[in-house]
Each structure stands twice: as C-alpha cells, then as structure tokens.
Coordinates of all heavy atoms in Angstrom, one line a residue:
M1 N 31.8 -39.6 10.1 CA 31.6 -38.6 9.2 C 30.1 -38.6 8.6 O 29.6 -37.5 8.4 CB 32.5 -38.7 8.0 CG 32.6 -37.6 7.1 SD 33.2 -36.2 7.9 CE 34.3 -35.6 6.7
T2 N 29.5 -39.7 8.6 CA 28.1 -39.8 8.1 C 27.2 -39.1 9.0 O 26.3 -38.4 8.7 CB 27.7 -41.3 8.0 OG1 28.6 -42.0 7.1 CG2 26.3 -41.4 7.4
R3 N 27.4 -39.2 10.4 CA 26.6 -38.5 11.3 C 26.7 -37.0 11.2 O 25.7 -36.3 11.3 CB 27.0 -39.0 12.7 CG 26.1 -38.4 13.8 CD 26.2 -39.3 15.0 NE 25.5 -38.6 16.2 CZ 24.2 -38.8 16.4 NH1 23.4 -39.4 15.6 NH2 23.7 -38.2 17.5
L4 N 27.9 -36.6 11.0 CA 28.1 -35.1 10.7 C 27.4 -34.5 9.6 O 26.8 -33.5 9.6 CB 29.6 -34.8 10.7 CG 30.0 -33.3 10.4 CD1 29.6 -32.6 11.7 CD2 31.5 -33.2 10.3
R5 N 27.4 -35.3 8.4 CA 26.7 -34.9 7.3 C 25.2 -34.9 7.5 O 24.4 -34.1 7.1 CB 26.9 -35.9 6.1 CG 28.3 -35.7 5.5 CD 28.5 -36.5 4.3 NE 29.9 -36.6 3.9 CZ 30.4 -37.5 3.2 NH1 29.7 -38.6 2.9 NH2 31.7 -37.5 2.9
S6 N 24.7 -35.9 8.2 CA 23.3 -36.0 8.6 C 22.8 -34.8 9.4 O 21.8 -34.2 9.2 CB 23.0 -37.3 9.4 OG 21.7 -37.4 9.7
L7 N 23.7 -34.4 10.4 CA 23.3 -33.2 11.2 C 23.3 -31.9 10.4 O 22.5 -31.1 10.6 CB 24.4 -33.1 12.3 CG 24.2 -34.0 13.5 CD1 25.4 -33.9 14.4 CD2 22.9 -33.8 14.2
F8 N 24.3 -31.9 9.5 CA 24.4 -30.7 8.6 C 23.1 -30.6 7.6 O 22.6 -29.5 7.5 CB 25.7 -30.7 7.8 CG 25.8 -29.5 6.9 CD1 26.1 -28.3 7.3 CD2 25.6 -29.7 5.5 CE1 26.1 -27.2 6.5 CE2 25.7 -28.6 4.6 CZ 26.0 -27.3 5.1
A9 N 22.7 -31.7 7.1 CA 21.6 -31.7 6.2 C 20.3 -31.5 7.0 O 19.5 -30.7 6.5 CB 21.5 -33.1 5.5
T10 N 20.2 -31.9 8.2 CA 19.0 -31.6 9.0 C 19.0 -30.1 9.4 O 18.0 -29.5 9.3 CB 19.1 -32.5 10.3 OG1 19.1 -33.8 10.0 CG2 17.8 -32.2 11.2
A11 N 20.1 -29.5 9.7 CA 20.2 -28.1 10.1 C 19.8 -27.3 8.9 O 19.1 -26.2 9.0 CB 21.6 -27.7 10.6
A12 N 20.4 -27.6 7.7 CA 20.0 -26.9 6.5 C 18.5 -27.0 6.1 O 17.9 -26.0 5.7 CB 20.9 -27.4 5.3
A13 N 17.9 -28.1 6.4 CA 16.5 -28.3 6.1 C 15.7 -27.4 7.0 O 14.7 -26.8 6.6 CB 16.1 -29.8 6.2
V14 N 16.1 -27.3 8.3 CA 15.3 -26.5 9.3 C 15.5 -25.0 8.9 O 14.4 -24.4 8.9 CB 16.0 -26.7 10.7 CG1 15.4 -25.7 11.6 CG2 15.6 -28.2 11.2
V15 N 16.6 -24.6 8.4 CA 16.7 -23.2 8.0 C 15.9 -22.9 6.8 O 15.2 -21.9 6.7 CB 18.2 -22.9 7.7 CG1 18.4 -21.5 7.0 CG2 19.1 -22.9 9.0
L16 N 15.8 -23.8 5.9 CA 15.1 -23.6 4.6 C 13.5 -23.6 5.0 O 12.8 -22.8 4.5 CB 15.3 -24.7 3.6 CG 16.7 -24.6 2.9 CD1 16.8 -25.8 2.0 CD2 16.7 -23.3 2.1
I17 N 13.0 -24.5 5.8 CA 11.6 -24.5 6.2 C 11.2 -23.3 7.0 O 10.2 -22.7 6.8 CB 11.4 -25.8 7.0 CG1 11.5 -27.1 6.0 CG2 10.0 -25.8 7.6 CD1 11.5 -28.4 6.7
T18 N 12.1 -22.9 7.9 CA 11.8 -21.7 8.8 C 11.7 -20.5 7.9 O 10.9 -19.6 8.0 CB 12.9 -21.5 9.8 OG1 13.0 -22.7 10.6 CG2 12.6 -20.4 10.7
G19 N 12.7 -20.3 6.9 CA 12.7 -19.2 6.1 C 11.4 -19.2 5.2 O 10.8 -18.1 4.9
A20 N 11.0 -20.3 4.6 CA 9.8 -20.3 3.8 C 8.6 -20.1 4.7 O 7.7 -19.4 4.2 CB 9.7 -21.8 3.2
A21 N 8.5 -20.5 5.9 CA 7.3 -20.2 6.7 C 7.2 -18.8 7.0 O 6.2 -18.2 7.0 CB 7.4 -21.0 8.0
A22 N 8.4 -18.1 7.3 CA 8.4 -16.7 7.6 C 7.9 -15.9 6.3 O 7.1 -15.0 6.5 CB 9.8 -16.2 8.0
A23 N 8.4 -16.2 5.1 CA 7.9 -15.6 3.9 C 6.5 -15.8 3.7 O 5.8 -14.9 3.3 CB 8.8 -16.1 2.8
G24 N 6.0 -17.0 3.9 CA 4.5 -17.2 3.9 C 3.7 -16.4 4.8 O 2.7 -15.9 4.5
T25 N 4.2 -16.2 6.0 CA 3.4 -15.4 7.0 C 3.5 -13.9 6.6 O 2.4 -13.3 6.7 CB 4.2 -15.5 8.3 OG1 4.2 -16.9 8.7 CG2 3.4 -14.7 9.4
A26 N 4.5 -13.4 6.0 CA 4.5 -12.0 5.6 C 3.5 -11.8 4.5 O 2.8 -10.8 4.4 CB 5.9 -11.6 5.2
T27 N 3.5 -12.7 3.5 CA 2.6 -12.7 2.5 C 1.1 -12.6 2.9 O 0.2 -11.9 2.5 CB 2.9 -13.8 1.4 OG1 4.2 -13.7 1.0 CG2 2.0 -13.6 0.2
A28 N 0.8 -13.6 3.8 CA -0.5 -13.7 4.4 C -1.0 -12.4 5.1 O -2.1 -11.9 5.0 CB -0.6 -14.8 5.3
A29 N -0.1 -11.8 5.8 CA -0.3 -10.5 6.5 C -0.6 -9.4 5.6 O -1.5 -8.7 5.7 CB 0.8 -10.1 7.4
E30 N 0.1 -9.3 4.5 CA -0.1 -8.3 3.4 C -1.5 -8.5 2.8 O -2.2 -7.6 2.5 CB 0.9 -8.3 2.4 CG 2.3 -7.7 2.8 CD 3.3 -7.7 1.8 OE1 3.0 -8.1 0.6 OE2 4.5 -7.4 2.0
A31 N -1.8 -9.8 2.6 CA -3.1 -10.2 1.9 C -4.3 -9.7 2.8 O -5.3 -9.2 2.4 CB -3.2 -11.6 1.5
E32 N -4.1 -9.9 4.1 CA -5.2 -9.5 5.1 C -5.3 -8.1 5.1 O -6.5 -7.6 5.3 CB -4.9 -10.1 6.4 CG -5.0 -11.6 6.6 CD -4.7 -12.0 8.0 OE1 -4.4 -11.2 8.9 OE2 -4.5 -13.3 8.2
A33 N -4.3 -7.4 5.0 CA -4.4 -5.9 5.0 C -4.9 -5.3 3.7 O -5.3 -4.2 3.7 CB -3.0 -5.3 5.2
G34 N -5.1 -6.1 2.7 CA -5.7 -5.6 1.4 C -4.5 -5.1 0.5 O -4.0 -5.9 -0.2
Q35 N -4.2 -3.9 0.6 CA -3.1 -3.4 -0.2 C -1.9 -2.9 0.7 O -2.1 -2.6 1.8 CB -3.7 -2.1 -1.0 CG -4.8 -2.5 -1.9 CD -5.3 -1.2 -2.7 OE1 -4.8 -0.1 -2.3 NE2 -6.1 -1.4 -3.7
P36 N -0.8 -2.7 0.0 CA 0.3 -2.2 0.8 C -0.1 -0.7 1.2 O -0.7 0.0 0.6 CB 1.5 -2.1 -0.2 CG 1.1 -3.0 -1.4 CD -0.4 -3.1 -1.3
R37 N 0.4 -0.4 2.4 CA 0.1 1.0 2.9 C 0.9 2.1 2.1 O 2.0 2.0 1.9 CB 0.4 1.0 4.4 CG -0.5 0.2 5.3 CD -0.6 0.6 6.7 NE -0.5 1.9 7.1 CZ -1.5 2.7 7.3 NH1 -2.7 2.3 7.1 NH2 -1.3 4.0 7.7
E38 N 0.1 3.1 1.9 CA 0.7 4.3 1.2 C 1.4 5.1 2.3 O 0.9 5.3 3.4 CB -0.4 5.1 0.6 CG -1.2 4.3 -0.5 CD -2.7 4.7 -0.5 OE1 -3.4 4.8 0.5 OE2 -3.1 5.0 -1.6
P39 N 2.5 5.7 1.9 CA 3.2 6.6 2.9 C 2.4 7.9 3.1 O 1.7 8.3 2.2 CB 4.5 6.9 2.2 CG 4.3 6.7 0.7 CD 3.3 5.6 0.7
G40 N 2.6 8.5 4.3 CA 2.0 9.8 4.5 C 0.5 9.6 5.0 O 0.1 8.5 5.3
C41 N -0.2 10.8 5.1 CA -1.6 10.8 5.6 C -2.6 10.5 4.6 O -3.7 10.1 5.0 CB -1.8 12.2 6.1 SG -0.7 12.7 7.4
A42 N -2.4 10.7 3.3 CA -3.4 10.5 2.3 C -3.6 9.1 1.9 O -2.6 8.4 1.6 CB -3.0 11.3 1.0
K43 N -4.8 8.6 2.0 CA -5.1 7.2 1.6 C -6.2 7.1 0.6 O -7.3 7.8 0.7 CB -5.5 6.4 2.8 CG -4.6 6.5 4.1 CD -3.3 5.9 3.7 CE -2.3 6.0 4.9 NZ -1.0 6.4 4.5
L44 N -6.1 6.4 -0.4 CA -7.2 6.2 -1.4 C -8.3 5.4 -0.7 O -8.1 4.3 -0.3 CB -6.6 5.4 -2.6 CG -7.6 5.2 -3.8 CD1 -8.2 6.5 -4.3 CD2 -7.0 4.4 -4.8
W45 N -9.4 6.0 -0.6 CA -10.5 5.4 0.2 C -11.5 4.7 -0.7 O -12.1 3.7 -0.3 CB -11.3 6.6 0.9 CG -12.2 6.2 2.0 CD1 -13.5 6.1 1.9 CD2 -11.8 5.6 3.3 NE1 -14.0 5.6 3.1 CE2 -13.0 5.3 4.0 CE3 -10.6 5.4 3.9 CZ2 -12.9 4.8 5.2 CZ3 -10.6 4.9 5.2 CH2 -11.8 4.6 5.8
G46 N -11.7 5.1 -2.0 CA -12.6 4.6 -2.9 C -12.6 5.3 -4.2 O -12.2 6.5 -4.2
Y47 N -13.2 4.8 -5.3 CA -13.2 5.5 -6.5 C -14.3 4.8 -7.4 O -14.7 3.7 -7.2 CB -11.9 5.5 -7.2 CG -11.3 4.2 -7.7 CD1 -11.6 3.7 -9.0 CD2 -10.5 3.5 -6.8 CE1 -11.1 2.4 -9.3 CE2 -10.1 2.2 -7.2 CZ -10.2 1.7 -8.5 OH -9.9 0.5 -8.8
G48 N -14.7 5.6 -8.4 CA -15.6 5.2 -9.4 C -15.4 6.0 -10.7 O -14.4 6.8 -10.7
P49 N -16.3 5.9 -11.6 CA -16.2 6.7 -12.8 C -16.2 8.2 -12.6 O -17.2 8.7 -12.1 CB -17.3 6.2 -13.7 CG -17.8 4.9 -13.1 CD -17.4 5.0 -11.7
G50 N -15.1 8.8 -12.8 CA -15.0 10.3 -12.6 C -14.8 10.9 -11.2 O -14.7 12.1 -11.0
W51 N -14.5 10.0 -10.3 CA -14.2 10.5 -8.9 C -13.3 9.5 -8.1 O -13.2 8.3 -8.5 CB -15.5 10.7 -8.1 CG -16.3 9.4 -7.9 CD1 -17.2 8.8 -8.8 CD2 -16.2 8.5 -6.8 NE1 -17.6 7.6 -8.3 CE2 -17.1 7.4 -7.1 CE3 -15.4 8.5 -5.7 CZ2 -17.2 6.3 -6.2 CZ3 -15.5 7.4 -4.8 CH2 -16.4 6.4 -5.1
A52 N -12.7 10.1 -7.1 CA -11.9 9.2 -6.1 C -12.0 10.0 -4.8 O -12.0 11.2 -4.7 CB -10.5 9.2 -6.6
D53 N -12.1 9.1 -3.8 CA -12.2 9.6 -2.4 C -10.8 9.4 -1.7 O -10.2 8.4 -1.8 CB -13.2 9.0 -1.6 CG -14.7 9.4 -1.8 OD1 -14.8 10.5 -2.4 OD2 -15.6 8.7 -1.5
I54 N -10.3 10.4 -1.1 CA -9.0 10.5 -0.4 C -9.3 10.7 1.1 O -10.0 11.7 1.5 CB -8.1 11.5 -0.9 CG1 -7.9 11.4 -2.4 CG2 -6.7 11.4 -0.2 CD1 -7.2 12.5 -3.0
Y55 N -8.8 9.8 1.9 CA -9.0 9.9 3.4 C -7.7 10.5 4.0 O -6.6 10.0 3.7 CB -9.3 8.5 4.0 CG -9.3 8.5 5.5 CD1 -10.2 9.3 6.2 CD2 -8.4 7.7 6.2 CE1 -10.2 9.2 7.6 CE2 -8.4 7.7 7.6 CZ -9.3 8.4 8.3 OH -9.3 8.4 9.7
N56 N -7.9 11.5 4.8 CA -6.8 12.0 5.6 C -6.7 11.4 7.0 O -7.6 11.8 7.8 CB -6.9 13.6 5.7 CG -5.8 14.2 6.6 OD1 -4.9 13.6 7.0 ND2 -5.9 15.5 6.8
E57 N -5.8 10.5 7.2 CA -5.8 9.8 8.5 C -5.0 10.6 9.6 O -4.9 10.0 10.7 CB -5.2 8.4 8.3 CG -3.7 8.3 8.1 CD -3.3 6.9 8.0 OE1 -4.0 5.9 8.0 OE2 -2.0 6.7 8.0
C58 N -4.5 11.7 9.3 CA -3.7 12.5 10.3 C -4.6 13.6 11.0 O -5.7 13.9 10.6 CB -2.5 13.1 9.6 SG -1.4 11.9 9.0
G59 N -4.0 14.1 12.0 CA -4.7 15.1 12.8 C -4.5 16.5 12.4 O -4.6 17.4 13.2
Y60 N -4.1 16.7 11.1 CA -3.9 18.1 10.6 C -4.3 18.2 9.1 O -4.4 17.1 8.5 CB -2.4 18.5 10.7 CG -1.5 17.5 10.3 CD1 -1.1 17.5 8.9 CD2 -0.9 16.6 11.1 CE1 -0.1 16.7 8.4 CE2 0.1 15.7 10.6 CZ 0.4 15.7 9.3 OH 1.3 14.8 8.7
T61 N -4.6 19.3 8.7 CA -5.0 19.5 7.3 C -3.9 19.2 6.3 O -2.8 19.6 6.5 CB -5.5 20.9 7.0 OG1 -6.6 21.2 8.0 CG2 -6.0 21.2 5.6
I62 N -4.2 18.5 5.2 CA -3.3 18.2 4.2 C -3.8 18.6 2.8 O -5.0 19.0 2.6 CB -3.0 16.7 4.1 CG1 -4.2 15.9 3.8 CG2 -2.4 16.2 5.4 CD1 -3.9 14.4 3.4
F63 N -2.9 18.7 1.8 CA -3.3 18.8 0.4 C -2.9 17.5 -0.2 O -1.8 16.9 0.0 CB -2.6 20.0 -0.3 CG -3.1 21.3 0.1 CD1 -2.5 21.9 1.2 CD2 -4.1 21.9 -0.6 CE1 -3.0 23.2 1.6 CE2 -4.6 23.1 -0.2 CZ -4.1 23.7 0.9
A64 N -3.8 16.9 -1.1 CA -3.6 15.6 -1.6 C -4.2 15.4 -3.0 O -5.0 16.2 -3.4 CB -4.1 14.6 -0.7
S65 N -3.7 14.4 -3.7 CA -4.2 14.1 -5.0 C -4.1 12.5 -5.2 O -3.6 11.8 -4.2 CB -3.5 14.8 -6.1 OG -4.0 14.5 -7.4
V66 N -4.3 12.1 -6.3 CA -4.2 10.6 -6.7 C -3.3 10.4 -7.9 O -3.3 11.3 -8.8 CB -5.5 9.9 -6.9 CG1 -6.3 9.8 -5.6 CG2 -6.4 10.5 -8.0
E67 N -2.6 9.3 -7.9 CA -1.7 8.9 -9.0 C -2.6 8.2 -10.1 O -3.3 7.2 -9.8 CB -0.6 8.0 -8.6 CG 0.3 7.5 -9.7 CD 1.1 8.6 -10.3 OE1 1.4 9.6 -9.7 OE2 1.5 8.4 -11.5
V68 N -2.7 8.7 -11.3 CA -3.3 8.1 -12.4 C -2.4 8.0 -13.6 O -1.3 8.7 -13.6 CB -4.6 8.8 -12.8 CG1 -5.7 8.8 -11.7 CG2 -4.4 10.2 -13.2
D69 N -2.7 7.2 -14.7 CA -1.9 7.3 -15.9 C -2.2 8.6 -16.6 O -3.4 9.1 -16.6 CB -2.4 6.2 -16.9 CG -1.9 4.8 -16.4 OD1 -0.9 4.8 -15.7 OD2 -2.5 3.8 -16.8
G70 N -1.2 9.3 -17.0 CA -1.4 10.6 -17.7 C -1.1 11.7 -16.6 O -0.3 11.6 -15.8
F71 N -1.9 12.8 -16.7 CA -1.8 13.9 -15.8 C -2.6 13.6 -14.5 O -3.8 13.4 -14.6 CB -2.3 15.2 -16.4 CG -1.4 15.6 -17.6 CD1 -1.8 15.4 -18.9 CD2 -0.2 16.2 -17.4 CE1 -1.0 15.7 -20.0 CE2 0.7 16.5 -18.4 CZ 0.2 16.3 -19.7
D72 N -2.0 13.8 -13.4 CA -2.6 13.7 -12.0 C -3.6 14.8 -11.8 O -3.3 16.0 -12.2 CB -1.7 13.6 -10.9 CG -0.8 12.3 -11.0 OD1 -1.2 11.4 -11.7 OD2 0.1 12.3 -10.2
P73 N -4.8 14.6 -11.2 CA -5.7 15.8 -10.9 C -5.0 16.7 -10.0 O -4.1 16.4 -9.2 CB -6.8 15.1 -10.2 CG -6.7 13.5 -10.5 CD -5.2 13.4 -10.7
S74 N -5.5 18.0 -9.9 CA -5.0 19.0 -9.0 C -5.2 18.6 -7.6 O -6.2 17.8 -7.2 CB -5.7 20.3 -9.3 OG -5.5 20.8 -10.6
C75 N -4.4 19.0 -6.8 CA -4.4 18.7 -5.3 C -5.7 19.4 -4.6 O -6.1 20.5 -5.0 CB -3.2 19.2 -4.6 SG -1.7 18.3 -5.2
I76 N -6.3 18.7 -3.6 CA -7.4 19.3 -2.9 C -7.0 19.3 -1.4 O -6.2 18.6 -1.0 CB -8.7 18.5 -3.1 CG1 -8.5 17.0 -2.6 CG2 -9.1 18.5 -4.5 CD1 -9.7 16.2 -2.5
Q77 N -7.6 20.2 -0.7 CA -7.4 20.4 0.7 C -8.4 19.5 1.5 O -9.5 19.4 1.2 CB -7.6 21.8 1.2 CG -7.4 22.1 2.6 CD -7.6 23.5 3.1 OE1 -7.5 24.4 2.2 NE2 -7.8 23.8 4.2
I78 N -7.9 18.7 2.4 CA -8.7 17.7 3.3 C -8.3 17.9 4.7 O -7.1 17.9 5.1 CB -8.3 16.3 2.9 CG1 -8.5 16.1 1.3 CG2 -9.3 15.3 3.6 CD1 -8.0 14.7 0.9
G79 N -9.3 18.2 5.5 CA -9.2 18.4 6.9 C -8.8 17.2 7.7 O -8.9 16.1 7.1
P80 N -8.4 17.3 8.9 CA -8.0 16.1 9.7 C -9.1 15.1 9.9 O -10.2 15.5 10.2 CB -7.6 16.7 11.1 CG -8.1 18.2 11.1 CD -8.4 18.5 9.7
G81 N -8.8 13.9 9.6 CA -9.8 12.8 9.8 C -11.0 12.8 8.8 O -11.9 12.1 8.9
A82 N -10.8 13.6 7.7 CA -11.9 13.9 6.8 C -11.6 13.1 5.4 O -10.6 12.7 5.2 CB -12.2 15.3 6.5
I83 N -12.7 13.0 4.6 CA -12.5 12.4 3.3 C -12.9 13.5 2.3 O -13.9 14.2 2.4 CB -13.5 11.2 3.1 CG1 -13.1 10.1 4.1 CG2 -13.6 10.8 1.7 CD1 -14.2 8.9 4.0
G84 N -12.0 13.6 1.3 CA -12.2 14.7 0.2 C -12.4 13.8 -1.1 O -11.8 12.8 -1.4
T85 N -13.3 14.4 -1.9 CA -13.6 13.8 -3.2 C -12.9 14.6 -4.3 O -13.0 15.8 -4.3 CB -15.1 13.7 -3.5 OG1 -15.7 12.9 -2.4 CG2 -15.4 13.1 -4.8
I86 N -12.2 13.9 -5.2 CA -11.4 14.6 -6.3 C -12.0 14.1 -7.6 O -12.4 12.9 -7.7 CB -9.9 14.3 -6.1 CG1 -9.1 15.2 -7.0 CG2 -9.6 12.8 -6.4 CD1 -7.6 15.2 -6.6
G87 N -12.1 15.0 -8.6 CA -12.6 14.6 -9.9 C -11.5 14.0 -10.7 O -10.4 14.3 -10.7
L88 N -12.0 13.0 -11.6 CA -11.1 12.2 -12.5 C -11.6 12.4 -13.9 O -12.7 12.7 -14.1 CB -11.0 10.8 -12.1 CG -10.5 10.3 -10.7 CD1 -10.7 8.8 -10.6 CD2 -9.1 10.8 -10.5
E89 N -10.6 12.3 -14.9 CA -11.0 12.4 -16.3 C -11.6 11.0 -16.6 O -11.3 10.0 -16.0 CB -9.6 12.6 -17.1 CG -9.0 13.9 -16.9 CD -9.8 15.1 -17.5 OE1 -10.4 14.9 -18.6 OE2 -9.9 16.1 -16.8
P90 N -12.4 11.0 -17.7 CA -13.0 9.6 -18.1 C -11.8 8.7 -18.4 O -10.8 9.0 -19.0 CB -13.7 10.0 -19.4 CG -14.0 11.5 -19.2 CD -12.9 12.1 -18.5
G91 N -12.0 7.5 -17.8 CA -11.0 6.3 -18.0 C -9.9 6.3 -17.0 O -9.1 5.4 -17.0
D92 N -9.8 7.4 -16.1 CA -8.7 7.4 -15.2 C -9.0 6.4 -14.1 O -10.1 6.4 -13.6 CB -8.5 8.7 -14.6 CG -7.7 9.8 -15.4 OD1 -7.1 9.3 -16.4 OD2 -7.7 10.9 -15.1
V93 N -8.1 5.6 -13.7 CA -8.2 4.7 -12.5 C -7.0 5.1 -11.6 O -5.8 5.0 -12.0 CB -8.1 3.2 -13.0 CG1 -8.1 2.3 -11.8 CG2 -9.1 2.9 -14.0
P94 N -7.3 5.5 -10.4 CA -6.2 5.9 -9.4 C -5.5 4.7 -8.9 O -6.1 3.7 -8.5 CB -7.1 6.6 -8.3 CG -8.4 6.1 -8.4 CD -8.7 5.7 -9.8
Y95 N -4.2 4.9 -8.7 CA -3.4 3.7 -8.1 C -3.3 4.0 -6.6 O -3.3 3.0 -5.9 CB -2.0 3.7 -8.8 CG -2.0 3.5 -10.2 CD1 -1.8 4.4 -11.2 CD2 -2.2 2.2 -10.7 CE1 -1.8 4.1 -12.5 CE2 -2.3 1.9 -12.0 CZ -2.0 2.9 -13.0 OH -2.0 2.6 -14.3
Y96 N -3.0 5.2 -6.2 CA -2.8 5.5 -4.7 C -3.0 7.0 -4.6 O -2.9 7.7 -5.5 CB -1.5 5.0 -4.3 CG -0.3 5.7 -5.0 CD1 0.2 6.8 -4.6 CD2 0.3 5.0 -6.1 CE1 1.3 7.4 -5.2 CE2 1.4 5.6 -6.8 CZ 1.9 6.7 -6.3 OH 2.9 7.3 -7.0
A97 N -3.1 7.4 -3.4 CA -3.3 8.8 -2.9 C -1.9 9.3 -2.5 O -1.1 8.4 -1.9 CB -4.3 9.1 -1.9
Y98 N -1.6 10.5 -2.5 CA -0.3 11.1 -2.0 C -0.6 12.5 -1.6 O -1.5 13.2 -2.1 CB 0.7 11.0 -3.1 CG 0.6 11.8 -4.4 CD1 1.0 13.2 -4.5 CD2 -0.1 11.2 -5.4 CE1 0.7 13.9 -5.6 CE2 -0.4 11.9 -6.6 CZ 0.1 13.3 -6.6 OH -0.1 14.0 -7.8
E99 N 0.3 13.0 -0.7 CA 0.3 14.4 -0.3 C 1.0 15.3 -1.3 O 2.0 14.9 -1.8 CB 0.9 14.5 1.1 CG 0.0 13.9 2.2 CD 0.7 14.1 3.6 OE1 0.7 15.3 4.0 OE2 1.1 13.1 4.1
C100 N 0.5 16.4 -1.5 CA 1.1 17.4 -2.5 C 2.1 18.3 -1.8 O 2.0 18.6 -0.5 CB 0.1 18.2 -3.1 SG -1.2 17.3 -4.0

C-alpha cells in the first residue's frame, strides 16, 4: 500500500508541476507580445496628448475609433494597411482601438 501511495503522490506532483509550467509559458508569451491582441482590424498604434494613431492591419477600408474614459472620439476612415490619426480631448488616454 505504501508503494501505491508513493506512485499516486509522484503522479500528482508531476501534474501540478506540468500545469504550473504551462501557465508560466502562456504568461511569458503574452508578456513578449506586449499587450493582448485587440479583435478586428483596428489596432492602437500609438498616442500622445490630444491624439491617437490607429493602424488598419486588414486589406480593406475600415472605420475605427479608440476607447477612452467618457465619450469616445468619432470614427475615422482608415485605408488598408494605413495608419489614421484621431483627435482626443485633453486628459483622454486610449485603452484600445475598435472598428465602428
């Protein structure tokens, strides 16, 4: 019976270690990528006081905006593979870009 308990304990330890290693790998991959990927074609490319750049990574024209606290700016048209600049209110910090 002792040998059976020992095998069970070893198997449980292997499962826990494997699960922790897999979770650590996923976190490292996300950290390397920077931020989680936004759904759709619109990607927040950069921003500063009063502006934000949105990149259209798709092969067709889109309308896009950015998410901020308060009212989101109006949508702008961005051609395929292009970057569009959108105006922001003072103090606005964009979280992510989205298609309208």
Side-chain angles (χ1 to χ4, degrees):
M1 191 63 134
T2 304
R3 184 158 172 82
L4 183 59
R5 284 186 194 156
S6 177
L7 286 172
F8 180 72
T10 302
V14 167
V15 168
L16 288 174
I17 291 169
T18 304
T25 303
T27 303
E30 285 180 9
E32 287 179 10
Q35 297 180 351
R37 290 200 35 93
E38 300 148 308
C41 298
K43 307 299 176 220
L44 181 60
W45 194 255
Y47 64 91
W51 63 274
D53 283 343
I54 304 170
Y55 172 63
N56 175 4
E57 71 175 8
C58 293
Y60 52 88
T61 300
I62 63 169
F63 287 88
S65 185
V66 291
E67 175 71 26
V68 296
D69 286 337
F71 294 103
D72 294 348
S74 297
C75 297
I76 60 171
Q77 182 176 338
I78 307 170
I83 295 174
T85 302
I86 194 166
L88 301 176
E89 296 290 320
D92 280 351
V93 176
Y95 296 107
Y96 59 87
Y98 64 91
E99 290 182 67
C100 303

